[in-house]
Amino acid sequence: MRDNSSASGPGQEALRLDVAALRADTPGCRQVIHFNNAGCGLLPAPVTDAMVGHLNLEARLGGYEAAAARAAEVRGFYTEMAALINTTPDNIAFAGSATHAYANALSSIPFETDDVILTTRDDFISNQIAFLSLRKRFGVRIVHAPNTREGGVDVEAMAALMRTHRPRLVSATHVPTNSGLVSPVAEIGRHCRELDLLYLVDACQSVGQFVIDVEEIGCDLLTATCRKFLRGPRGSGFLYVSDRVLRAGYEPLFIDMHGARWTEAGGYEPVATAARFEEWEFPYATVLGSAAATRYARKVGIEAIEQRTPALAARLRDRLAPVPGVRLLDRGPRLAALVTFDAAGWQPQPFKAAMDAHGINSALSFREFAQFDFGDKDVDWCLRLSPHYYNTEEEVDHVADVVADLAGQGRR
């Protein structure tokens, strides 16, 4: 993963990105200040055009016939996504969500009693719940690597746990949903490769925000959604499956007629590609919208996005840091475009409602989303603000001013 800790600030980077043109492509910019890109990014016009156009085609031709007519464009989803993360189309499977992709990946692993899942204290809530479900059903053991004092996983301690436990699976979330932390997934991957351990990465918040190179990360499986920083439609995601996982014969527990061939009455053969992790039925308009979103991000330039987006968040943190009553919660040596804080004197829902009233989109996180992280920070809730490259410095400053005003009200 490229380290842009010394990258230029958002003002300089804006010379490379035509922010006005990007905002003109984004109708939502005329309605709201959208700082909830970690939830859903605002759709650019090419994405909605692709989806609406296909729905209209289905209405005119029929669903099957429209899919056949757009077969080349549908294949474009795989070629665009493969180019985005440095793999081949055969290593990409479309999924209805990142959680669906993650569950399919987990279902392909033949867990047995006392198998170890090694993860971090900053893994995504749904992943942690899935591990607990596996423990309940199969008796696996869950081991959490410790964090450093600075924040984020202690990679050397995690590597020692790899050597001690020889885990059946190593898992890490690149950027957790409840914090701006960026986990060192490539460093973890190097240890997994050295020890020949299966490695699964949740890149839900980093795809579309950072340059993602699965070869550099060294993961066997990687999941993400399209709706967040990639700015694609809801109900879309993908699973990356490495060649070595495919060659080893991993397949989802409930493989269907798209992922396998029924070769005889008592047997089947999975297809050779990551398509074995897909189902026969597809939301084709959503697939085409996801392809358009990926194409759009690549046209804008992921390297430029990787510089501008976290820099806007850094500007926001700098503006919020001195505000009385506001406690910033993001910790770690490298931070993404998720800014989290709590506000003294406020309850969560009224605070978000006040932000809504100012036309600012945000999101709430609660302790149940991050039992370890919020327990360590002794916080029950936080507000999350997540700008993206099409947001402006003026919006950042305005949002900071609104938060400061609300924080003052809470103190009074």
Side-chain angles (χ1 to χ4, degrees):
M1 205 60 50
R2 290 169 174 80
D3 184 1
N4 286 302
S5 57
S6 61
S8 59
Q12 183 175 344
E13 188 58 30
L15 297 175
R16 292 174 53 193
L17 293 181
D18 188 343
V19 176
L22 295 169
R23 292 174 68 82
D25 272 349
T26 309
C29 288
R30 297 189 286 273
Q31 306 295 321
V32 294
I33 296 177
H34 190 70
F35 274 35
N36 191 18
N37 292 282
C40 285
L42 288 180
L43 298 179
V47 174
T48 53
D49 289 347
M51 297 178 70
V52 172
H54 189 74
L55 290 174
N56 286 332
L57 189 66
E58 286 187 344
R60 294 197 306 270
L61 299 183
Y64 286 23
E65 292 75 12
R70 291 288 183 266
E73 289 86 347
V74 170
R75 287 194 296 273
F77 168 79
Y78 301 92
T79 56
E80 292 291 342
M81 192 61 72
L84 184 72
I85 67 171
N86 188 30
T87 187
T88 74
D90 283 350
N91 296 101
I92 299 292
F94 178 82
S97 68
T99 298
H100 182 202
Y102 202 92
N104 258 3
L106 287 179
S107 80
S108 73
I109 303 170
F111 288 108
E112 297 180 357
T113 302
D114 289 331
D115 278 348
V116 169
I117 297 173
L118 175 61
T119 186
T120 73
R121 293 169 62 84
D122 298 293
D123 217 343
F124 178 53
I125 171 178
S126 293
N127 305 345
Q128 296 277 4
I129 291 173
F131 300 154
L132 293 170
S133 177
L134 288 168
R135 185 175 72 181
K136 181 189 296 185
R137 179 162 298 193
F138 297 110
V140 304
R141 293 187 292 140
I142 308 166
V143 176
H144 293 90
N147 279 359
T148 66
R149 290 186 177 181
E150 185 180 14
V153 66
D154 184 328
V155 176
E156 292 307 314
M158 192 173 192
L161 291 169
M162 292 181 197
R163 292 188 290 270
T164 299
H165 293 286
R166 302 296 303 185
R168 187 69 182 84
L169 176 68
V170 177
S171 171
T173 293
H174 194 188
V175 177
T177 188
N178 56 281
S179 166
L181 172 73
V182 180
S183 296
V185 290
E187 293 180 40
I188 297 169
R190 283 194 289 274
H191 290 289
C192 289
R193 291 285 68 76
E194 290 170 5
L195 297 171
D196 194 29
L197 298 174
L198 190 68
Y199 183 32
L200 168 59
V201 171
D202 179 333
C204 214
Q205 296 287 4
S206 53
V207 167
Q209 178 180 180
F210 294 125
V211 175
I212 302 296
D213 184 333
V214 292
E215 293 299 324
E216 186 178 346
I217 293 173
C219 54
D220 296 290
L221 300 153
L222 180 141
T223 62
T225 186
C226 298
R227 76 173 191 270
K228 296 179 184 286
F229 289 94
L230 197 57
R231 304 180 64 192
R234 297 199 69 174
S236 62
F238 71 91
L239 169 65
Y240 158 77
V241 187
S242 70
D243 286 334
R244 81 169 192 145
V245 164
L246 292 173
R247 288 194 298 267
Y250 286 78
E251 62 186 58
L253 179 60
F254 297 110
I255 195 167
D256 83 347
M257 60 185 285
H258 179 79
R261 301 291 175 263
W262 194 15
T263 53
E264 56 183 333
Y268 69 90
E269 290 182 3
V271 299
T273 70
R276 70 179 66 164
F277 288 88
E278 297 177 333
E279 289 86 34
W280 184 85
E281 177 57 21
F282 272 77
Y284 283 96
T286 302
V287 173
L288 292 170
S290 300
T294 310
R295 189 177 302 112
Y296 190 89
R298 294 183 61 226
K299 182 179 179 181
V300 172
I302 294 297
E303 292 81 2
I305 294 170
E306 185 179 75
Q307 290 187 21
R308 178 171 173 80
T309 295
L312 288 170
R315 181 186 182 108
L316 180 59
R317 287 192 196 93
D318 289 344
R319 288 291 308 271
L320 294 178
V323 175
V326 169
R327 177 171 56 138
L328 290 169
L329 301 172
D330 306 308
R331 297 174 55 199
R334 186 185 179 197
L335 298 178
L338 288 75
V339 180
T340 61
F341 62 92
D342 66 357
W346 281 93
Q347 292 299 310
Q349 287 83 4
F351 192 87
K352 184 181 182 307
M355 296 290 286
D356 292 344
H358 283 85
I360 300 168
N361 289 351
S362 62
L364 291 168
S365 285
F366 299 94
R367 183 174 287 228
E368 68 178 86
F369 295 0
Q371 291 284 359
F372 294 120
D373 184 50
F374 278 22
D376 293 343
K377 295 171 179 174
D378 191 25
V379 62
D380 291 324
W381 69 275
C382 75
L383 192 83
R384 185 187 69 193
L385 297 171
S386 47
H388 207 358
Y389 61 86
Y390 57 82
N391 290 118
T392 66
E393 289 80 3
E394 291 76 17
E395 286 181 321
V396 169
D397 295 344
H398 175 70
V399 169
D401 289 342
V402 170
V403 171
D405 181 64
L406 294 176
Q409 295 177 35
R411 293 173 63 236
R412 291 193 294 273

